[in-house]
Amino acid sequence: MGNGFQVQDRFAEGAQYIGGRLRHGTSGHHQEVVDPATGTTVLRYELAGTDDVDAAVAAARGAFPGWAGLTPGERSEALHRFAAVLAEQADDFAYAESLQCGKPLKLSTEFDVPGTVDNASFFAGAARHLEGSSAAEYSGDHTSYVRREAIGVVGSIAPWNYPLQMAAWKILPAVAAGNTIVLKPAEITPLTSLMFAQAATGAGIPDGVINIVSGAGRDAGEHLVGHPDVVMTSFTGSTEVGKRVASLATETVKRLHLELGGKAPFLVFDDADLDAAVNGAVAGSLINTGQDCTAATRAYVQRPLYDAFVSGVAALMESVRLGDPFDPSTDLGPLISHQQRDRVAGFVERARAYATVVTGGEAPGGALADGAYYLPTLITGAAQDSEIVSSEIFGPVLVVLPFDTDDEGIRLANDTPYGLAASAWSRDLYRANRATREIAAGCVWINDHIPIISEMPHGGYKASGFGKDMSSYSFEEYTQVKHVMYDNTAVARKDWHRTVFGDR
């Protein structure tokens, strides 16, 4: 299969990874992993059932005392070995990620895989820096300090748009902090999550620390979230499903981390570098065929630059090359499935009644007709409250709207229930700083859109969820903070005892 391993052979023993080995699911139902570029089935496997989730949670629970009991340095060494194994297997990971997602190999090779390796290296170092408050005598009579402790078994659910990176974002901070984990990837894209867990075993991370259950959300996912031995759930996906996850987690009083939908504004002031903004808008809206919750989806352009911006974006979009994900010249691959392609097309078709499709707006034919391809699409003339502006499309579609004053631009940028990411484009320091202060989003880029780094947190405001992936801030999700207080007086009867014993 292209790069040297046959997917069906690789997972002949099943697509569940529990207690350090592959096994078949027990749900009685099968799932196909389909190459969205060709419509070809690359793996057929048995989905996980509730018994598989129970087994995975039991494996994680059994591994927890030993893993949590290691020193931070020992966990750090294991994660450094893990990062090295991931780097050694980079080509296989890139191939499998492109095969199951349809993303261009150059994206998998230059973004997904190196980002994951870097994440592993970062958390290998971060494992030794679980910081708390310095010890001090805050009361005068006692010494206080803060411990950060692992919380137990984490049950996480990852989406299909970045299966490898999302597996890393869920697993690495959890295990670096001393927890064990059961991850449910999207059932249509389990390949690299399974490979990630296998690589961990190959690096010497103990069996049961990292487990993968490949199952349907309504069965395996809901059972995992509601499991009494799972103490925390981290979910990345749509806001609607996130509400269901939150409801289930609340029933068992679980800690909850949600990274949900987005509708990122791309705010261009009239002093911006027009060429930079045009290039940034096309790259930021088409990354991963637009299937990115931080992708640029709503471009607000101050009126003096509006016409030139629209012309520039349209011309650049029309030059983007769709094709075979494994062809080095391909810029844009298919959407994840024909169902998703049709969903995106539905948004665009409905928009024709009230807006203008400047370019794109259709699926290509010819050699690409069997894949889930859709042309890069630019839309103008839509109202702020229209569906195409307000709803998360998750495809290669950018809507451009004009604005006049800075106040109006920032107001429009914030006019959304979401708040995951945004960007502002200006050469004026004061304008840029105002945008970073006033735009309600978990990440605000200035004169760029999309880059992420392991050292900085990722997470949203409002309906985009709460909590952080990546960075040392993610340990806030995966550790329990404990206050320890020592009496320093050696006095049997304290002054405050008078409130209970009286003045005798």
Side-chain angles (χ1 to χ4, degrees):
M1 266 241 184
N3 80 327
F5 74 84
Q6 297 283 340
V7 173
Q8 196 71 51
D9 292 343
R10 177 76 178 254
F11 301 108
E13 296 177 13
Q16 318 302 325
Y17 197 75
I18 300 172
R21 68 179 183 88
L22 289 170
R23 52 189 275 181
H24 294 292
T26 62
S27 71
H29 302 287
H30 288 77
Q31 174 69 45
E32 292 184 345
V33 178
V34 176
D35 174 1
T38 63
T40 303
T41 297
V42 298
L43 177 68
R44 187 172 187 269
Y45 71 92
E46 297 89 348
L47 285 163
T50 56
D51 289 347
D52 303 304
V53 173
D54 290 342
V57 172
R61 187 179 181 187
F64 175 70
W67 181 249
L70 294 178
T71 67
E74 289 169 329
R75 285 196 297 272
S76 175
E77 289 176 6
L79 290 172
H80 276 300
R81 294 194 302 270
F82 187 20
V85 172
L86 293 172
E88 290 168 2
Q89 299 178 10
D91 289 346
D92 282 353
F93 275 104
Y95 174 79
E97 191 77 340
S98 287
L99 185 66
Q100 69 181 349
C101 297
K103 62 183 66 183
L105 186 61
K106 65 182 180 183
L107 179 63
S108 296
T109 301
E110 298 175 21
F111 184 70
D112 298 73
V113 175
T116 300
V117 174
D118 184 71
N119 232 236
S121 296
F122 171 80
F123 280 108
R128 305 185 78 145
H129 297 283
L130 290 172
E131 297 177 350
S133 299
S134 298
E137 287 68 48
Y138 296 101
S139 77
D141 291 336
H142 307 80
T143 296
S144 289
Y145 67 88
V146 169
R147 291 176 54 88
R148 280 191 181 272
E149 298 178 347
I151 58 176
V153 177
V154 178
S156 294
I157 299 176
W160 47 256
N161 56 335
Y162 291 103
L164 177 59
Q165 290 204 84
M166 294 298 100
W169 287 16
K170 300 301 182 194
I171 291 170
L172 290 168
V175 301
N179 303 291
T180 55
I181 189 167
V182 179
L183 174 75
K184 192 200 87 65
E187 60 268 33
I188 60 174
T189 56
L191 303 184
T192 47
S193 297
L194 292 163
M195 293 166 63
F196 190 81
Q198 289 177 305
T201 299
I205 292 177
D207 293 348
V209 172
I210 299 172
N211 307 274
I212 308 294
V213 288
S214 306
R218 289 193 177 275
D219 299 320
E222 294 202 358
H223 191 64
L224 178 62
V225 174
H227 200 289
D229 291 333
V230 170
V231 298
M232 175 190 165
T233 291
S234 177
F235 170 80
T236 296
S238 72
T239 297
E240 285 307 308
V241 177
K243 292 176 183 177
R244 174 63 178 164
V245 170
S247 175
L248 290 169
T250 300
E251 291 176 4
T252 47
V253 198
K254 284 179 172 49
R255 184 177 295 200
L256 184 61
H257 166 223
L258 298 175
E259 198 264 86
L260 306 176
K263 190 70 179 177
F266 188 99
L267 186 60
V268 183
F269 293 104
D270 58 15
D271 67 330
D273 181 325
L274 178 62
D275 187 47
V278 166
N279 281 276
V282 174
S285 63
L286 300 185
I287 181 77
N288 200 31
T289 317
Q291 299 167 126
D292 187 310
C293 46
T294 64
T297 59
R298 301 177 291 138
Y300 298 101
V301 183
Q302 207 151 23
R303 209 170 291 274
L305 294 185
Y306 178 80
D307 289 340
F309 180 88
V310 170
S311 297
V313 168
L316 190 53
M317 278 188 168
E318 289 166 2
S319 74
V320 170
R321 300 164 296 185
L322 278 66
D324 177 359
F326 296 99
D327 184 335
S329 67
T330 292
D331 298 320
L332 202 68
L335 290 150
I336 190 67
S337 66
H338 288 82
Q339 180 182 10
Q340 179 66 12
R341 191 270 314 275
D342 293 345
R343 179 180 179 275
V344 171
F347 277 105
V348 175
E349 290 308 306
R350 291 189 295 274
R352 292 184 191 277
Y354 56 80
T356 300
V357 177
V358 178
T359 189
E362 61 182 357
L368 303 181
D370 291 337
Y373 290 90
Y374 197 76
L375 291 173
T377 300
L378 178 64
I379 293 176
T380 61
Q384 174 68 10
D385 61 354
S386 63
E387 179 190 53
I388 202 77
V389 174
S390 60
S391 297
E392 187 175 30
I393 300 169
F394 230 55
V397 179
L398 178 65
V399 185
V400 185
L401 299 89
F403 71 93
D404 292 303
T405 67
D406 290 14
D407 288 349
E408 181 189 14
I410 291 175
R411 178 181 62 78
L412 291 170
N414 283 330
D415 184 22
T416 175
Y418 300 109
L420 187 58
S423 65
W425 299 72
S426 174
R427 303 187 221 209
D428 185 309
L429 175 64
Y430 297 98
R431 264 180 160 172
N433 277 339
R434 180 189 177 190
T436 65
R437 292 192 308 271
E438 297 186 13
I439 293 177
C443 175
V444 179
W445 293 285
I446 298 299
N447 296 327
D448 209 343
H449 195 107
I450 285 297
I452 54 174
I453 50 176
S454 297
E455 291 83 357
M456 289 290 110
H458 176 85
Y461 286 28
K462 302 188 290 187
S464 290
F466 47 82
K468 300 299 179 185
D469 288 311
M470 299 198 298
S471 83
S472 294
Y473 291 97
S474 64
F475 288 137
E476 301 294 334
E477 320 302 325
Y478 296 102
T479 56
Q480 181 68 53
V481 173
K482 178 186 288 184
H483 171 214
V484 178
M485 194 177 214
Y486 284 92
D487 170 59
N488 292 327
T489 67
V491 174
R493 181 168 291 187
K494 309 293 194 294
D495 285 344
W496 71 267
H497 291 179
R498 290 181 296 110
T499 63
V500 179
F501 302 144
D503 296 327
R504 57 185 191 277

